[in-house]
Amino acid sequence: TAVQARIAAIAQALTPLAVRLPAFALLRTIPGIGPTVGAILLAEIGDIAWFTRFSQLRKLAGLDIVRVQSGQFAGQARISKCGRGLLRWALYQAALGAARTAAGRARLAAFKAKRLGDRFAGFKALVELAAKLLRVVWGVWRSGTPYDPMRAGGLRRRPG
């Protein structure tokens, strides 16, 4: 209980500091990113300008795909988990939150459909959704524009 109380105190202190940063308001427009997760993303990523390519940010989160290969052997493809664990956890929590929206449920169902017969399909789909959310975080933060669901879903606005 003492550890839980300390975590709650740190979370309460972290959010007011993050509110002062302009990127915090941008990240909060993304479905699934609440005040605590947004503050963790800001703290773990730091300055988005440090990353010139999305693959660098994906590697920082440990969500890049690796496969052990040697000679004729080719192992299973998996996420590397070599990055920051707290960043990966925050993205997973954001994916759980995004999965509560209609668009998130549809995307999660599409990710699960790719893995028919896999008993870990639900977990793998959530990790894939977390990686997609990281791409959205990258785009929103780098562009400086709020999240637009029409752009994120690949839908185009009708002129008119």
Side-chain angles (χ1 to χ4, degrees):
T1 56
V3 172
Q4 293 297 328
R6 180 79 176 132
I7 290 171
I10 291 171
Q12 285 179 340
L14 182 67
T15 306
L17 292 173
V19 169
R20 295 186 234 158
L21 301 171
F24 183 75
L26 290 173
L27 293 180
R28 292 276 292 130
T29 63
I30 301 170
I33 297 183
T36 304
V37 170
I40 290 171
L41 290 175
L42 286 171
E44 287 292 311
I45 294 172
D47 186 6
I48 198 73
W50 293 339
F51 307 100
T52 57
R53 293 187 313 271
F54 171 70
S55 60
Q56 295 169 326
L57 183 60
R58 188 177 56 219
K59 194 168 208 156
L60 177 76
L63 292 174
D64 52 325
I65 305 298
V66 295
R67 179 185 295 231
V68 176
Q69 293 179 330
S70 176
Q72 296 290 323
F73 174 77
Q76 290 280 333
R78 60 178 185 82
I79 62 170
S80 71
K81 295 187 187 176
C82 289
R84 296 184 177 178
L86 183 58
L87 178 57
R88 203 168 36 258
W89 175 85
L91 289 167
Y92 186 79
Q93 295 301 315
L96 287 173
R100 292 185 185 117
T101 65
R105 277 192 300 275
R107 188 166 287 233
L108 195 61
F111 290 154
K112 282 183 186 178
K114 293 192 306 187
R115 297 178 172 87
L116 288 177
D118 185 358
R119 68 182 198 182
F120 299 110
F123 177 73
K124 289 178 181 179
L126 276 170
V127 171
E128 191 172 357
L129 185 59
K132 292 292 183 186
L133 276 174
L134 182 61
R135 169 126 3 228
V136 172
V137 165
W138 162 264
V140 165
W141 198 347
R142 291 282 296 200
S143 69
T145 58
Y147 173 76
D148 181 11
M150 298 299 279
R151 284 189 66 200
L155 302 173
R156 298 190 187 274
R157 293 183 188 203
R158 292 184 183 162

